[in-house]
Amino acid sequence: MMTESEFNFVVDDALLAIEDALDEAESDLDSENSGGVLTLTCESGSKLIFTRQTPVRQLWIATPAGGFHFDYVEKQWLRDSDQLGLAQFLGNALSELTDEKLCFNRL
């Protein structure tokens, strides 16, 4: 099991990769990273909220469709329910909320 500092490092790296991908795509999504919580806000007002859950070593994402939990396994974030990768999950979730096709290659 990874240490708390290792967990915080991989979460911070993932959140930075998401923000970088949005910047590179010149996305209309607004992002705010405050206290280690990343909030993406769509033009419609819909939000995706990323929070770290240190005791269980998971990254949780709240979306209009519900809450999702991701584990860091073999250097990638995978949804605990079906092993869907975070990059694909985000691409799908954001395309449903916006007209944008976004790529998250660094995740």
Side-chain angles (χ1 to χ4, degrees):
M1 185 171 182
M2 75 175 91
T3 67
E4 184 173 328
S5 62
E6 290 168 331
F7 171 74
N8 284 323
F9 177 81
V10 295
V11 169
D12 289 342
D13 190 52
L15 298 181
L16 183 59
I18 292 166
E19 289 180 288
D20 286 348
L22 296 176
D23 286 345
E24 288 171 16
E26 298 181 8
S27 170
D28 288 334
L29 292 164
D30 289 326
S31 66
E32 179 184 348
N33 195 334
S34 177
V37 175
L38 177 63
T39 303
L40 304 181
T41 305
C42 304
E43 286 185 328
S44 67
S46 296
K47 295 179 186 274
L48 274 73
I49 303 169
F50 301 77
T51 58
R52 71 188 73 218
Q53 300 300 317
T54 305
V56 292
R57 304 294 195 263
Q58 289 185 322
L59 177 62
W60 288 7
I61 304 172
T63 74
F68 302 92
H69 304 162
F70 288 79
D71 295 307
Y72 194 70
V73 179
E74 298 178 14
K75 300 189 181 210
Q76 59 182 334
W77 288 102
L78 301 174
R79 187 163 58 185
D80 65 352
S81 61
D82 61 6
Q83 304 305 294
L84 179 69
L86 180 57
Q88 185 177 349
F89 171 83
L90 282 179
N92 294 344
L94 291 171
S95 70
E96 290 176 15
L97 297 172
T98 69
D99 291 332
E100 298 181 61
K101 282 286 189 197
L102 299 166
C103 187
F104 298 93
N105 290 335
R106 280 194 44 222
L107 289 177

